[in-house]
Amino acid sequence: QVQLVESGGGLVQAGGSLRLSCAASGSISAINVMGWYRQAPGKQRELVATFVSGGRTNYLDSVKDRFTISRDNAKNTVFLQMNSLKPEDTAVYYCNAVVGGTYSRWGQGTQVTVSS
């Protein structure tokens, strides 16, 4: 089993920054890919940023050049640095791990609220 715990959300003014963390535990070696998703009220969950094969990264177009995904393998932690935040970035942010190439594990989510 893989467990994911997010932290770092909060309330910030437009133009501000937040850094989200996702600590993974359990069967770490079975994790293929980790990334971040978000879900705003009344909207579908969407991919924000993820690592893809070869260590490359993939971003939602609207967050490119503002958000950066990174990881600390020694601490089994993935980060999402969010700069120049906009009110439309307001959502619950979820950490995701694809495990064994067969299923996804989700964290509990962390609320990010950007005020105008």
Side-chain angles (χ1 to χ4, degrees), residues 6-12 18-21 36 82 91 93 109-113:
E6 300 108 332
S7 61
L11 173 64
V12 64
L18 284 173
R19 188 193 196 203
L20 306 183
S21 299
W36 289 94
M82 305 185 294
Y93 283 71
T110 184
Q111 177 71 47
V112 171
T113 302

Side-chain angles (χ1 to χ4, degrees), residues 92-103:
V92 178
Y93 283 71
Y94 296 91
C95 181
N96 172 267
V98 177
V99 184
T102 58
Y103 68 92

Side-chain angles (χ1 to χ4, degrees), residues 32-113:
N32 305 114
V33 176
M34 290 186 70
W36 289 94
Y37 288 70
R38 69 186 182 188
Q39 188 166 18
K43 295 187 177 181
Q44 290 189 330
R45 192 171 297 188
E46 62 182 356
L47 173 66
V48 177
T50 187
F51 289 101
V52 295
S53 61
R56 294 170 298 160
T57 54
N58 187 39
Y59 293 93
L60 179 68
D61 283 347
S62 63
V63 308
K64 285 180 180 178
D65 300 324
R66 298 190 297 122
F67 291 11
T68 302
I69 188 171
S70 62
R71 58 192 171 192
D72 183 335
N73 291 331
K75 297 182 179 179
N76 299 319
T77 301
V78 173
F79 305 97
L80 184 67
Q81 178 66 44
M82 305 185 294
N83 299 327
S84 302
L85 282 160
K86 303 176 181 180
E88 52 263 43
D89 294 318
T90 295
V92 178
Y93 283 71
Y94 296 91
C95 181
N96 172 267
V98 177
V99 184
T102 58
Y103 68 92
S104 281
R105 180 68 69 185
W106 297 92
Q108 82 282 2
T110 184
Q111 177 71 47
V112 171
T113 302

